[in-house]
Amino acid sequence: MTTSVRTARTVRTVRTVRTAVSRYPVLLALVIAALFMVVPFLIVAVNAVKSPAEYSADGPLSLPDGLYLDGLRSFWERVDFGQKLFNSFLISGAVAVGAVVLSVLNAYAIGIGRIRGRTWVLAFFVLANVLPQEALVYPVYYLSKEAGLYDTRLSVIIVFTVIQAAFGTYLLSAVLGRFPREIIEAARIDGANRWQVLWRIVVPVSRPTLGVLLVFFFIWTWNEFLLPLVMLISNDNQTVSVALGVLQGQRLMDATMTNAAALLGVLPAIVFFLVFQRTLTRGIAVGAVK
Protein backbone atom coordinates (compact mmCIF):
# COMPACT_ATOMS: atom_id res chain seq x y z
CA MET A 1 0.00 0.00 0.00
CA THR A 2 2.83 2.35 0.89
CA THR A 3 4.62 1.56 -2.35
CA SER A 4 1.55 2.38 -4.44
CA VAL A 5 1.12 5.70 -2.62
CA ARG A 6 4.76 6.61 -3.26
CA THR A 7 4.41 5.63 -6.90
CA ALA A 8 1.32 7.82 -7.30
CA ARG A 9 3.11 10.76 -5.69
CA THR A 10 6.09 10.26 -7.95
CA VAL A 11 3.87 10.19 -11.02
CA ARG A 12 2.13 13.38 -9.94
CA THR A 13 5.48 15.07 -9.29
CA VAL A 14 6.78 14.07 -12.71
CA ARG A 15 3.63 15.35 -14.38
CA THR A 16 3.89 18.64 -12.49
CA VAL A 17 7.52 19.08 -13.55
CA ARG A 18 6.70 18.27 -17.17
CA THR A 19 3.82 20.73 -17.16
CA ALA A 20 6.04 23.46 -15.73
CA VAL A 21 8.80 22.75 -18.23
CA SER A 22 6.34 22.77 -21.14
CA ARG A 23 5.17 26.25 -20.10
CA TYR A 24 8.64 27.79 -20.20
CA PRO A 25 8.72 28.22 -24.02
CA VAL A 26 5.33 29.94 -23.93
CA LEU A 27 6.47 32.21 -21.09
CA LEU A 28 9.69 33.02 -22.95
CA ALA A 29 7.76 33.85 -26.11
CA LEU A 30 5.44 36.18 -24.14
CA VAL A 31 8.42 37.93 -22.54
CA ILE A 32 10.07 38.45 -25.93
CA ALA A 33 6.80 39.79 -27.39
CA ALA A 34 6.43 42.17 -24.43
CA LEU A 35 9.97 43.44 -24.97
CA PHE A 36 9.27 44.08 -28.65
CA MET A 37 6.30 46.23 -27.63
CA VAL A 38 7.78 48.02 -24.61
CA VAL A 39 11.35 48.73 -25.77
CA PRO A 40 10.37 51.01 -28.72
CA PHE A 41 8.10 53.00 -26.43
CA LEU A 42 10.92 53.39 -23.88
CA ILE A 43 13.32 54.54 -26.61
CA VAL A 44 10.81 57.16 -27.75
CA ALA A 45 10.25 58.32 -24.16
CA VAL A 46 14.00 58.61 -23.53
CA ASN A 47 14.65 60.57 -26.73
CA ALA A 48 11.70 62.87 -26.01
CA VAL A 49 13.51 64.26 -22.94
CA LYS A 50 16.93 64.42 -24.62
CA SER A 51 18.45 67.58 -26.08
CA PRO A 52 19.25 67.74 -29.82
CA ALA A 53 22.96 68.03 -28.99
CA GLU A 54 22.87 64.86 -26.88
CA TYR A 55 20.95 63.04 -29.61
CA SER A 56 23.47 64.06 -32.26
CA ALA A 57 26.50 63.22 -30.12
CA ASP A 58 25.41 59.98 -28.41
CA GLY A 59 22.70 58.57 -30.67
CA PRO A 60 19.16 57.40 -29.94
CA LEU A 61 20.09 54.54 -27.58
CA SER A 62 21.99 56.58 -25.00
CA LEU A 63 20.53 57.81 -21.71
CA PRO A 64 20.03 61.57 -21.29
CA ASP A 65 22.15 63.53 -18.83
CA GLY A 66 19.05 65.34 -17.62
CA LEU A 67 15.45 66.13 -18.47
CA TYR A 68 15.22 68.34 -21.54
CA LEU A 69 11.57 69.40 -21.80
CA ASP A 70 11.91 72.10 -24.45
CA GLY A 71 11.05 69.59 -27.18
CA LEU A 72 7.77 68.67 -25.49
CA ARG A 73 6.99 72.32 -24.80
CA SER A 74 7.83 73.45 -28.34
CA PHE A 75 5.70 70.77 -29.93
CA TRP A 76 2.77 71.50 -27.59
CA GLU A 77 2.83 75.19 -28.51
CA ARG A 78 3.51 74.69 -32.22
CA VAL A 79 0.46 72.52 -32.91
CA ASP A 80 -1.78 73.83 -30.11
CA PHE A 81 -1.76 70.30 -28.72
CA GLY A 82 -4.29 71.07 -26.00
CA GLN A 83 -6.97 71.81 -28.61
CA LYS A 84 -6.02 68.73 -30.64
CA LEU A 85 -6.21 66.62 -27.49
CA PHE A 86 -9.68 67.96 -26.69
CA ASN A 87 -10.86 67.23 -30.25
CA SER A 88 -9.56 63.66 -30.13
CA PHE A 89 -11.15 62.97 -26.75
CA LEU A 90 -14.45 64.50 -27.85
CA ILE A 91 -14.60 62.59 -31.14
CA SER A 92 -13.34 59.27 -29.75
CA GLY A 93 -15.58 59.40 -26.69
CA ALA A 94 -18.68 60.36 -28.65
CA VAL A 95 -18.02 57.66 -31.25
CA ALA A 96 -17.40 55.00 -28.59
CA VAL A 97 -20.65 55.74 -26.74
CA GLY A 98 -22.73 56.26 -29.88
CA ALA A 99 -21.40 53.14 -31.60
CA VAL A 100 -22.10 50.98 -28.54
CA VAL A 101 -25.67 52.27 -28.25
CA LEU A 102 -26.31 51.80 -31.98
CA SER A 103 -24.76 48.32 -31.89
CA VAL A 104 -26.98 47.29 -28.98
CA LEU A 105 -30.14 48.46 -30.76
CA ASN A 106 -29.20 46.75 -34.02
CA ALA A 107 -28.05 43.53 -32.37
CA TYR A 108 -31.18 43.38 -30.21
CA ALA A 109 -33.36 43.49 -33.32
CA ILE A 110 -31.21 40.95 -35.18
CA GLY A 111 -30.18 38.57 -32.40
CA ILE A 112 -33.27 38.54 -30.19
CA GLY A 113 -35.97 40.08 -32.37
CA ARG A 114 -35.08 37.71 -35.22
CA ILE A 115 -36.00 40.12 -38.00
CA ARG A 116 -36.68 38.82 -41.48
CA GLY A 117 -33.64 38.39 -43.71
CA ARG A 118 -31.36 38.15 -40.69
CA THR A 119 -28.65 36.36 -42.67
CA TRP A 120 -28.59 39.01 -45.38
CA VAL A 121 -28.49 41.82 -42.84
CA LEU A 122 -25.50 40.23 -41.09
CA ALA A 123 -23.82 39.74 -44.47
CA PHE A 124 -24.27 43.47 -45.10
CA PHE A 125 -22.55 44.33 -41.81
CA VAL A 126 -19.71 41.91 -42.61
CA LEU A 127 -19.27 43.64 -45.97
CA ALA A 128 -19.20 47.02 -44.22
CA ASN A 129 -16.40 45.76 -41.97
CA VAL A 130 -14.15 44.69 -44.86
CA LEU A 131 -14.58 47.83 -46.98
CA PRO A 132 -11.35 49.87 -47.08
CA GLN A 133 -11.64 53.45 -45.92
CA GLU A 134 -10.11 54.64 -49.18
CA ALA A 135 -13.36 53.59 -50.88
CA LEU A 136 -15.35 55.78 -48.49
CA VAL A 137 -13.33 58.97 -48.84
CA TYR A 138 -15.11 60.53 -51.81
CA PRO A 139 -18.71 59.50 -50.89
CA VAL A 140 -18.24 60.76 -47.34
CA TYR A 141 -16.60 63.97 -48.57
CA TYR A 142 -19.40 64.61 -51.08
CA LEU A 143 -22.21 63.89 -48.59
CA SER A 144 -20.66 66.06 -45.89
CA LYS A 145 -20.33 68.91 -48.39
CA GLU A 146 -23.97 68.58 -49.44
CA ALA A 147 -25.15 68.40 -45.81
CA GLY A 148 -23.04 71.39 -44.75
CA LEU A 149 -21.06 69.32 -42.25
CA TYR A 150 -17.67 69.42 -43.95
CA ASP A 151 -14.80 70.42 -41.65
CA THR A 152 -16.85 69.81 -38.51
CA ARG A 153 -16.23 67.35 -35.73
CA LEU A 154 -19.84 66.20 -35.98
CA SER A 155 -19.23 64.82 -39.48
CA VAL A 156 -16.36 62.65 -38.27
CA ILE A 157 -18.39 61.51 -35.26
CA ILE A 158 -21.29 60.41 -37.49
CA VAL A 159 -19.05 58.58 -39.98
CA PHE A 160 -17.03 56.68 -37.39
CA THR A 161 -20.09 55.88 -35.29
CA VAL A 162 -21.60 54.09 -38.28
CA ILE A 163 -18.31 52.36 -39.16
CA GLN A 164 -17.64 51.12 -35.62
CA ALA A 165 -21.28 50.14 -35.11
CA ALA A 166 -21.05 47.81 -38.11
CA PHE A 167 -18.46 45.71 -36.28
CA GLY A 168 -20.28 46.03 -32.96
CA THR A 169 -23.57 44.92 -34.51
CA TYR A 170 -21.98 41.86 -36.06
CA LEU A 171 -20.31 40.86 -32.79
CA LEU A 172 -23.28 41.53 -30.50
CA SER A 173 -25.70 39.78 -32.85
CA ALA A 174 -23.78 36.56 -32.34
CA VAL A 175 -23.74 37.12 -28.55
CA LEU A 176 -27.43 38.03 -28.23
CA GLY A 177 -28.41 35.21 -30.58
CA ARG A 178 -27.42 32.81 -27.79
CA PHE A 179 -29.15 34.84 -25.08
CA PRO A 180 -31.36 32.56 -22.89
CA ARG A 181 -34.87 32.76 -24.25
CA GLU A 182 -36.30 31.64 -20.91
CA ILE A 183 -35.20 34.87 -19.24
CA ILE A 184 -36.84 36.99 -21.93
CA GLU A 185 -40.06 34.98 -21.82
CA ALA A 186 -40.18 35.26 -18.03
CA ALA A 187 -39.78 39.04 -18.25
CA ARG A 188 -42.55 39.29 -20.82
CA ILE A 189 -44.86 37.20 -18.65
CA ASP A 190 -44.17 39.66 -15.81
CA GLY A 191 -45.38 42.48 -18.07
CA ALA A 192 -42.12 43.89 -19.42
CA ASN A 193 -42.26 45.39 -22.91
CA ARG A 194 -39.45 45.25 -25.48
CA TRP A 195 -37.69 48.37 -24.25
CA GLN A 196 -37.76 47.18 -20.65
CA VAL A 197 -36.39 43.78 -21.69
CA LEU A 198 -33.58 45.52 -23.55
CA TRP A 199 -32.49 48.08 -20.93
CA ARG A 200 -33.26 46.14 -17.74
CA ILE A 201 -32.23 42.61 -18.74
CA VAL A 202 -30.19 42.39 -21.94
CA VAL A 203 -27.93 45.40 -21.37
CA PRO A 204 -27.02 44.59 -17.73
CA VAL A 205 -26.22 40.98 -18.63
CA SER A 206 -24.15 42.09 -21.66
CA ARG A 207 -22.34 44.87 -19.79
CA PRO A 208 -18.87 43.20 -19.85
CA THR A 209 -19.04 42.78 -23.63
CA LEU A 210 -20.24 46.35 -24.04
CA GLY A 211 -17.32 47.54 -21.91
CA VAL A 212 -14.86 45.76 -24.21
CA LEU A 213 -16.46 47.35 -27.27
CA LEU A 214 -16.36 50.78 -25.63
CA VAL A 215 -12.60 50.52 -25.01
CA PHE A 216 -11.88 49.19 -28.49
CA PHE A 217 -14.02 51.80 -30.23
CA PHE A 218 -12.30 54.62 -28.35
CA ILE A 219 -8.78 53.42 -29.17
CA TRP A 220 -9.61 52.59 -32.79
CA THR A 221 -11.14 56.03 -33.36
CA TRP A 222 -8.24 57.75 -31.61
CA ASN A 223 -5.77 56.14 -34.03
CA GLU A 224 -7.74 56.95 -37.20
CA PHE A 225 -5.90 59.18 -39.66
CA LEU A 226 -7.21 59.08 -43.25
CA LEU A 227 -10.81 60.19 -42.86
CA PRO A 228 -10.05 62.89 -40.24
CA LEU A 229 -7.29 64.15 -42.55
CA VAL A 230 -9.81 64.53 -45.38
CA MET A 231 -12.74 65.78 -43.30
CA LEU A 232 -10.98 68.15 -40.89
CA ILE A 233 -8.89 70.77 -42.67
CA SER A 234 -8.92 73.61 -40.13
CA ASN A 235 -6.47 73.63 -37.24
CA ASP A 236 -9.21 74.12 -34.65
CA ASN A 237 -10.92 70.84 -35.59
CA GLN A 238 -7.97 68.54 -36.25
CA THR A 239 -7.24 65.51 -34.09
CA VAL A 240 -3.94 64.43 -32.57
CA SER A 241 -3.14 61.92 -35.31
CA VAL A 242 -3.82 64.47 -38.06
CA ALA A 243 -1.70 67.11 -36.33
CA LEU A 244 1.19 64.67 -36.02
CA GLY A 245 0.98 63.66 -39.67
CA VAL A 246 0.70 67.21 -40.99
CA LEU A 247 3.58 68.49 -38.88
CA GLN A 248 5.76 65.55 -39.86
CA GLY A 249 5.08 66.31 -43.51
CA GLN A 250 6.25 69.89 -43.06
CA ARG A 251 9.67 68.68 -41.87
CA LEU A 252 9.93 71.40 -39.25
CA MET A 253 10.97 69.22 -36.30
CA ASP A 254 14.27 67.84 -35.10
CA ALA A 255 14.69 64.27 -33.86
CA THR A 256 13.93 65.01 -30.21
CA MET A 257 10.79 66.97 -31.06
CA THR A 258 9.68 64.12 -33.31
CA ASN A 259 9.99 61.72 -30.39
CA ALA A 260 8.19 64.20 -28.15
CA ALA A 261 5.34 64.34 -30.66
CA ALA A 262 5.14 60.56 -30.83
CA LEU A 263 5.12 60.30 -27.04
CA LEU A 264 2.38 62.88 -26.58
CA GLY A 265 0.35 61.29 -29.35
CA VAL A 266 0.32 57.76 -27.96
CA LEU A 267 0.34 58.51 -24.23
CA PRO A 268 -3.39 59.43 -23.85
CA ALA A 269 -4.48 56.19 -25.54
CA ILE A 270 -2.20 54.17 -23.26
CA VAL A 271 -3.55 55.94 -20.17
CA PHE A 272 -7.13 55.29 -21.30
CA PHE A 273 -6.32 51.62 -21.87
CA LEU A 274 -4.71 51.28 -18.43
CA VAL A 275 -7.64 53.01 -16.72
CA PHE A 276 -10.14 50.63 -18.34
CA GLN A 277 -7.90 47.57 -18.27
CA ARG A 278 -10.00 45.91 -15.58
CA THR A 279 -13.14 46.41 -17.67
CA LEU A 280 -11.43 44.88 -20.69
CA THR A 281 -10.09 41.91 -18.71
CA ARG A 282 -13.47 41.28 -17.08
CA GLY A 283 -15.26 41.36 -20.41
CA ILE A 284 -12.83 38.91 -22.03
CA ALA A 285 -13.01 36.57 -19.01
CA VAL A 286 -16.80 36.59 -18.99
CA GLY A 287 -16.84 35.88 -22.73
CA ALA A 288 -14.47 32.95 -22.24
CA VAL A 289 -16.67 31.50 -19.49
CA LYS A 290 -19.77 31.80 -21.67
Side-chain angles (χ1 to χ4, degrees):
M1 186 70 178
T2 304
T3 303
S4 62
V5 172
R6 290 179 180 177
T7 303
R9 290 178 179 176
T10 303
V11 171
R12 284 197 299 267
T13 303
V14 171
R15 288 179 179 175
T16 303
V17 172
R18 287 180 179 177
T19 303
V21 171
S22 64
R23 291 177 180 175
Y24 284 138
V26 178
L27 180 61
L28 180 61
L30 292 176
V31 171
I32 294 175
L35 289 176
F36 271 108
M37 291 184 290
V38 173
V39 169
F41 176 77
L42 294 178
I43 293 176
V44 169
V46 168
N47 289 314
V49 295
K50 187 185 299 183
S51 66
E54 287 180 325
Y55 185 90
S56 300
D58 302 328
L61 300 180
S62 62
L63 295 177
D65 296 332
L67 292 179
Y68 179 83
L69 301 180
D70 288 348
L72 293 168
R73 188 179 303 110
S74 299
F75 171 74
W76 189 287
E77 296 173 353
R78 178 174 293 184
V79 302
D80 191 12
F81 191 76
Q83 180 65 36
K84 306 299 187 295
L85 200 62
F86 172 77
N87 293 336
S88 290
F89 270 112
L90 176 63
I91 293 174
S92 300
V95 168
V97 175
V100 168
V101 173
L102 187 59
S103 299
V104 169
L105 295 176
N106 293 338
Y108 180 69
I110 298 173
I112 294 180
R114 301 290 181 177
I115 62 174
R116 293 183 179 180
R118 176 175 178 269
T119 303
W120 292 103
V121 173
L122 287 178
F124 172 78
F125 283 109
V126 172
L127 179 62
N129 285 322
V130 300
L131 277 178
Q133 289 192 4
E134 290 80 3
L136 301 176
V137 170
Y138 180 74
V140 169
Y141 169 81
Y142 179 79
L143 290 175
S144 63
K145 279 281 191 178
E146 291 295 320
L149 295 176
Y150 184 67
D151 194 22
T152 62
R153 290 169 294 195
L154 179 60
S155 63
V156 178
I157 291 174
I158 294 174
V159 171
F160 280 122
T161 298
V162 174
I163 292 175
Q164 307 290 21
F167 173 80
T169 300
Y170 175 73
L171 178 64
L172 285 177
S173 297
V175 174
L176 297 185
R178 298 190 298 269
F179 198 89
R181 310 293 297 185
E182 296 79 7
I183 299 178
I184 298 176
E185 293 298 332
R188 289 175 177 173
I189 292 174
D190 290 338
N193 56 33
R194 293 181 178 180
W195 284 102
Q196 291 173 334
V197 171
L198 173 62
W199 297 114
R200 295 185 181 182
I201 297 177
V202 176
V203 171
V205 172
S206 306
R207 189 173 299 169
T209 305
L210 300 182
V212 173
L213 288 178
L214 184 70
V215 175
F216 281 162
F217 288 163
F218 183 93
I219 296 177
W220 290 345
T221 306
W222 181 279
N223 293 328
E224 289 291 344
F225 175 74
L226 180 59
L227 288 179
L229 177 65
V230 175
M231 301 294 295
L232 303 175
I233 58 175
S234 63
N235 291 328
D236 293 337
N237 295 326
Q238 288 179 349
T239 60
V240 171
S241 59
V242 174
L244 292 176
V246 171
L247 198 57
Q248 289 280 358
Q250 295 176 353
R251 298 181 180 178
L252 298 176
M253 297 189 297
D254 52 37
T256 56
M257 191 181 297
T258 302
N259 286 277
L263 179 64
L264 290 177
V266 74
L267 197 58
I270 293 177
V271 171
F272 179 85
F273 177 81
L274 293 177
V275 170
F276 290 94
Q277 183 181 11
R278 181 174 298 179
T279 300
L280 184 62
T281 305
R282 188 186 302 116
I284 294 175
V286 171
V289 171
K290 289 182 181 179

